[in-house]
Amino acid sequence: SERLARAAAEVLAGVVLGGATLEPSLETADGTAVVEAAPAPAPAAPEPLLITNARGEAVRVPPKYAAARQLPKAPAAGPRAYAKDQPRDATLDGLVAALLARLFEFQERVRLHDPLKAKMRRRLVFGLREVRRGVRAKNVKWLVVAPNIDEGSELQKHLDEILEAARDAETTVIFALGKRKLGKALRKSVGVSVVAIYNCDGAYDEYRAVAARLKELARDPSLAVAPGAPQRPKKDKAAAAAAAK
């Protein structure tokens, strides 16, 4: 059969017989030579990829990850339609993250000491059901919403209901950070879409900083610094005064 003929040709290929090297070929019953398709070339191994670690050292990425690292990155999605009324601002993101972290720290401290008191006097809540309940009861001072929720998803439908209730209650809505970074600010390993702030006890400095930045952006949206863009370093007033002398 053809399979046995191919196996025999592979075994005899390269064998030296009588000083000649055998190069067997396959032919059909009528004497027509069978043309073998050339084997596909093996894929080239990706070139070694070097990255810089946290200590500034150049390290080589393992080959199985190097190919993935060299793929083109998908362009970052812009702000969703529900968040276009407020410009994205890296400065505001940092201030909001600091505020949420401080409020959550105080809330957890009270919860560990007196869980019942902590539940009655919560500083913030997250989760669609808890947030919706607080907004409808007009107990929410600020509503922090991630600006990167997928449009058309079931999550956005619930978010639209919460935003509509917030407008009816005249609650201030802040679009900042993102689902992953909101969760990180609250020490969660999963993303958080929306956070309702009830009060800012113990974090008034952070609260005033966020309020001041919101006023600046409302007065002049061009002051917004796009996330990921290099920020202009703040000048040291003492050093500037010394240089002027």
Side-chain angles (χ1 to χ4, degrees), residues 200-221:
C200 297
D201 291 346
Y204 288 114
D205 289 342
E206 291 81 0
Y207 165 77
R208 283 190 286 266
V210 174
R213 186 58 179 175
L214 288 173
K215 290 181 179 178
E216 290 178 354
L217 295 175
R219 186 170 55 250
D220 186 359

Side-chain angles (χ1 to χ4, degrees), residues 11-107:
V11 172
L12 295 175
V15 175
V16 178
L17 183 62
T21 302
L22 299 181
E23 297 181 359
S25 60
L26 299 178
E27 294 183 356
T28 60
D30 59 0
T32 305
V34 177
V35 179
E36 298 288 337
E47 297 181 1
L49 180 64
L50 299 179
I51 61 174
T52 304
N53 61 15
R55 292 175 294 184
E57 302 170 342
V59 295
R60 177 172 296 183
V61 177
K64 62 180 180 179
Y65 300 126
R69 295 272 307 200
Q70 291 174 340
L71 292 175
K73 295 184 178 180
R80 305 300 192 262
Y82 65 85
K84 287 185 176 179
D85 292 339
Q86 178 190 306
R88 292 297 312 277
D89 181 44
T91 302
L92 180 63
D93 285 356
L95 296 174
V96 170
L99 172 63
L100 294 178
R102 179 59 62 89
L103 292 176
F104 187 75
E105 177 185 355
F106 283 126
Q107 182 164 290

